Amino acid sequence: MSPLLEVENLVVRYPAMGRVRAALKGAEPEFEAVADVSFGIKAGETLGLVGESGSGKSTIARTLMGLKRAHSGSIRFDGREISDASAQEYARLRREIAMMWQDPVGSLSPRLTVGALVTEPLKIHGRRADRRAECKRLLEMVGLPANFAGRFPHQLSGGQARRVGVARALALDPRLVIADEPTAGLDMSVQAEVLNLLAEMQTRLGIAILVITHNLNVVRHITDRMAIMYLGRFVETGPTERIFHAPCHPYTEALLSANPEPDPDAAQARITLSGEMPSPRRRPEGCEFHSRCQYARPECARRAPGVTEHGPQHAFTCHFPICGPSAA
Amino acid sequence: MTEAADSLLSVKNLSIDFGTPRGALHALRGVELEVPKGRIMGLVGESGCGKSTLAFSLAGLLPSNGRVAGGAILLNGEDVTKMSERELRDIRGRRVSMIFQDPMTALNPVATIGRQMLDIQYRDAGGKAEKRRRAAEMLDRVGIPDAAAQLAAYPHQFSGGMRQRVCIAMALLTKPDLLIADEPTTALDATLEVQIIELLRELQQEMGCAIVFVSHHLGTVAELCDDVTVMYAGEMVERGTVRDVFHNPAHPYTQALLECDPARIKDATRQLPTIPGTLPDLVRVPPGCIFRNRCEHAWERCATEHPPHYAASGPRHVASCHLLDKEGTA
């Protein structure tokens, strides 16, 4: 089965400074926020995109939604190239690709009721439907009582607002949902509720989901595969369980160790990375992670590692992987 | 008992109300907290449980509609709730310091770091040069590279993690007895969180101050804290050493909270445990146990009688749940 969404060698750039200033300084006026990224999502599959602030994960989401243009590379949705689609074409595409925004309350208009909010996508896309019945169906689907239709966003808790966001995303029966930090700012018990809801929706509706998050705990239970990003590149991709059990890239290992178990006696080998993520405007030479890597050797600063295949669908970019010799 | 003797902070039966259009909201009810010198107390609970209200009240920083309805906050035996604004100013920064959640907004954007770090030492003896030296030393201590030169920098020139380091440096510059940290790592990335936690632990060991560490992240509390207080809907439901509480949680809420933590669940599942139900209305606080409507063990007694603090597994481990009443149910 060919993937529903296929991204190949995607590069997205942002301006770093004015063109005149760049010309005077003889510097590159743009920097790469996303640098040569490829991935695919099949129908009914969930992919997790994990990375810290500034790793380019939200930029990928914005590019997929047509809110930011790709510099180069291709994005195919259902076999069709969409990276050069016009605004009108994108308007149509957004019926099939839905977005859940990061801020659950902030992404809802404070002046619309829940009922108006969940049926707004139908209105925008001119879909004729019994809005009242649709509203009831959607609220029921995300587990909110029907009388919530009359409430305003400020009367909702974070978890309830998130459910409204899910209902809005599902209103047009999309085939792909992009969830940007679906659990940011939610309490632990509510976070589990939202993740269960997403998993249930996927099982029931067979949609593909792209989950973008910095929290590895979030991806573990709802994704089939995950990709770890650093400075706009994938450093490791593979089946979620496999990566959790045996990460290959030192950055993945550090991220995994940063999610400690609530047990004071657990063998907490937390790995402290020194320093902070470098700026994508001044990428380090060689392996881009070497400046923070505890295993770095002189070679890492000189030569950038290529992609190494490591078993089925599992790949990483590192000279000295921690998972031992490649099984490929 | 010698407990009272070496106690730095002792909160007794504290109740705090907030004035709202619907009437008084009883945000904290009968909270007890005991922090000995040099220990780290974790304060955990979900949004709306009152952990931040409690933390802010320790430094006398309640919002204008907040009111202490009863109880006392004893800091070295002096009641913070009875202090005048002037006395409060005197303890802030000197005996109690605070690190806030958002390092972006905690610093003054139009003053240099050096200026702000000099200002905070306004009570201390010594000339300007001496104070600058102390500021630079402290910045260096929290891991800011090239500290002396950075005194001339403005907050926006630092990244989030560096800004939180600056905030920590400022909070500890005056060598307080008590440091209140209100979710200091929530706004930071995971790998930076690790760095900040490590830094806090090192500095605590070096300076010997007590820390009240507010967090909703159980893993971080388990790692950093000695003791932990679990709060729910404005009440303290369980308290004890981190080991007692996390290994033998006695209150059903603590048990549920620990179960929800995805870091604990080792096998992939599509159905994560949750805590069904919602928080009770704190304007009209229901009688009996506050957790009753979400508790799977609740029975008649829970609806009528408010559970006192029963002794649980360890010596200082207590929880408010009738299930622990050895005499009553036997």
Side-chain angles (χ1 to χ4, degrees):
Chain A
M1 194 172 69
S2 76
L4 177 67
L5 176 79
E6 222 176 344
V7 174
E8 256 178 86
N9 305 107
L10 180 69
V11 175
V12 186
R13 294 180 153 194
Y14 284 114
M17 57 182 95
R19 293 198 171 266
V20 175
R21 207 169 133 212
L24 287 174
K25 279 182 142 181
E28 185 67 37
E30 293 187 321
F31 70 92
E32 290 182 348
V34 176
D36 197 16
V37 158
S38 305
F39 61 92
I41 308 176
K42 296 193 190 90
E45 192 185 39
T46 311
L47 174 70
L49 221 52
V50 188
E52 295 182 278
S53 327
S55 62
K57 54 195 195 306
S58 290
T59 302
I60 291 185
R62 297 181 62 83
T63 312
L64 294 179
M65 289 303 288
L67 301 171
K68 170 79 195 151
R69 288 279 148 182
H71 174 78
S72 63
S74 90
I75 305 171
R76 278 189 301 279
F77 182 74
D78 206 9
R80 233 177 79 222
E81 180 64 40
I82 61 166
S83 59
D84 52 359
S86 65
Q88 286 94 327
E89 284 175 285
Y90 251 112
R92 264 197 302 280
L93 270 169
R94 289 194 193 109
R95 294 174 199 174
E96 304 197 68
I97 310 177
M99 179 89 193
M100 271 171 65
W101 300 100
Q102 200 174 113
D103 182 347
V105 181
S107 58
L108 304 176
S109 165
R111 306 188 59 165
L112 292 182
T113 61
V114 167
L117 282 164
V118 298
T119 52
E120 197 186 18
L122 303 170
K123 202 161 129 191
I124 291 170
H125 290 278
R127 189 161 301 177
R128 284 169 203 286
D130 179 352
R131 297 232 173 96
R132 190 165 298 181
E134 267 305 280
C135 169
K136 195 165 165 259
R137 179 183 75 88
L138 287 166
L139 288 184
E140 198 173 305
M141 188 158 76
V142 297
L144 287 176
N147 64 5
F148 267 53
R151 292 205 186 182
F152 285 94
H154 73 267
Q155 296 168 305
L156 305 176
S157 71
Q160 290 162 347
R162 194 31 107 194
R163 283 173 190 268
V164 174
V166 175
R168 266 166 75 87
L170 296 178
L172 296 166
D173 302 315
R175 295 161 74 191
L176 171 68
V177 170
I178 301 172
D180 193 357
E181 298 280 6
T183 63
L186 298 180
D187 280 321
M188 215 76 86
S189 62
V190 184
Q191 169 180 313
E193 252 175 61
V194 170
L195 294 179
N196 289 345
L197 177 67
L198 278 178
E200 189 201 327
M201 289 303 123
Q202 172 169 52
T203 319
R204 232 164 77 190
L205 309 172
I207 43 178
I209 305 184
L210 177 66
V211 183
I212 294 171
T213 179
H214 67 276
N215 185 344
L216 276 163
N217 289 331
V218 169
V219 269
R220 174 149 205 187
H221 300 291
I222 58 166
T223 64
D224 307 302
R225 284 184 305 124
M226 64 184 200
I228 290 100
M229 287 191 82
Y230 190 76
L231 274 182
R233 290 184 214 276
F234 286 169
V235 295
E236 185 161 1
T237 55
T240 306
E241 269 316 290
R242 201 180 149 95
I243 293 183
F244 264 88
H245 282 295
C248 287
H249 199 283
Y251 181 60
T252 313
E253 187 195 29
L255 276 185
L256 286 173
S257 84
N259 267 314
E261 240 186 291
D263 180 351
D265 289 332
Q268 305 269 6
R270 260 175 100 153
I271 298 160
T272 311
L273 295 179
S274 57
E276 297 185 15
M277 197 188 291
S279 160
R281 297 169 195 213
R282 288 181 301 275
R283 291 174 176 276
E285 295 281 316
C287 171
E288 289 175 348
F289 184 61
H290 86 264
S291 57
R292 302 179 71 193
C293 181
Q294 59 170 341
Y295 309 109
R297 301 185 205 177
E299 191 185 349
C300 301
R302 286 196 297 268
R303 197 166 56 86
V307 178
T308 310
E309 302 278 339
H310 182 72
Q313 291 193 311
H314 189 176
F316 58 86
T317 33
C318 179
H319 288 306
F320 307 106
I322 47 180
C323 52
S326 168
Chain B
M1 287 294 283
T2 53
E3 200 185 347
D6 68 347
S7 166
L8 170 72
L9 173 79
S10 137
V11 174
K12 301 228 183 279
N13 200 21
L14 182 71
S15 297
I16 288 177
D17 288 356
F18 285 117
T20 73
R22 295 195 300 133
L25 185 140
H26 308 288
L28 290 184
R29 298 178 309 284
V31 172
E32 306 266 334
L33 191 71
E34 204 71 46
V35 185
K37 285 194 181 84
R39 271 178 88 86
I40 308 182
M41 165 68 84
L43 217 51
V44 298
E46 298 186 285
S47 318
C49 73
K51 57 188 192 298
S52 289
T53 301
L54 177 57
F56 276 71
S57 70
L58 299 180
L61 289 174
L62 283 179
S64 56
N65 65 337
R67 188 176 70 85
V68 175
I73 302 171
L74 301 176
L75 184 70
N76 287 330
E78 287 170 71
D79 192 350
V80 173
T81 63
K82 301 233 163 31
M83 285 185 187
S84 67
E85 197 48 44
R86 202 193 153 89
E87 289 169 307
L88 281 172
R89 269 190 77 122
D90 246 18
I91 65 159
R92 287 184 202 136
R94 189 176 284 180
R95 282 156 58 192
V96 183
S97 274
M98 197 146 174
I99 309 172
F100 297 91
Q101 188 170 14
D102 188 355
M104 313 292 164
T105 52
L107 296 166
N108 181 349
V110 297
T112 61
I113 298 295
R115 170 78 199 283
Q116 298 184 51
M117 293 192 75
L118 281 189
D119 283 352
I120 210 167
Q121 303 177 66
Y122 72 103
R123 279 179 290 236
D124 297 355
K128 212 168 167 187
E130 163 70 13
K131 287 179 180 176
R132 275 191 85 81
R133 193 187 54 75
R134 261 184 251 154
E137 252 174 40
M138 200 62 217
L139 278 188
D140 186 55
R141 181 61 202 87
V142 297
I144 304 247
D146 196 13
Q150 297 293 356
L151 287 176
Y154 286 89
H156 74 265
Q157 293 170 297
F158 291 92
S159 65
M162 284 297 160
R163 260 180 261 194
Q164 195 59 290
R165 283 171 192 268
V166 172
C167 291
I168 293 176
M170 286 178 70
L172 294 177
L173 194 54
T174 49
K175 302 203 168 48
D177 302 328
L178 176 67
L179 176 69
I180 302 163
D182 184 27
E183 308 218 21
T185 58
T186 306
L188 301 179
D189 276 323
T191 56
L192 299 181
E193 177 179 33
V194 185
Q195 294 176 2
I196 296 293
I197 295 298
E198 205 151 276
L199 177 67
L200 273 178
R201 191 179 14 218
E202 276 173 30
L203 289 171
Q204 194 270 340
Q205 276 164 8
E206 214 174 284
M207 306 189 141
C209 60
I211 300 181
V212 172
F213 183 81
V214 182
S215 178
H216 63 269
H217 194 166
L218 301 172
T220 314
V221 171
E223 208 182 1
L224 178 72
C225 302
D226 305 310
D227 303 307
V228 61
T229 296
V230 183
M231 296 189 60
Y232 177 77
E235 288 179 18
M236 185 215 100
V237 294
E238 186 161 359
R239 183 182 64 192
T241 63
V242 169
R243 231 169 233 109
D244 283 341
V245 173
F246 283 5
H247 285 170
N248 301 307
H251 197 282
Y253 175 65
T254 317
Q255 290 163 4
L257 200 59
L258 281 165
E259 250 165 50
C260 288
D261 193 329
R264 241 179 127 88
I265 303 158
K266 287 275 171 273
D267 302 307
T269 171
R270 302 277 284 181
Q271 193 63 43
L272 295 162
T274 61
I275 307 177
T278 51
L279 284 171
D281 181 5
L282 296 186
V283 173
R284 271 177 288 279
V285 181
C289 170
I290 193 73
F291 187 59
R292 151 176 61 94
N293 64 341
R294 301 174 79 177
C295 180
E296 52 184 19
H297 309 291
W299 81 97
E300 309 89 64
R301 189 175 173 193
C302 308
T304 51
E305 192 187 332
H306 187 273
H309 296 163
Y310 294 106
S313 67
R316 286 186 298 127
H317 185 189
V318 295
S320 312
C321 178
H322 288 309
L323 287 173
L324 296 167
D325 186 5
K326 298 289 183 302
E327 296 104 54
T329 48

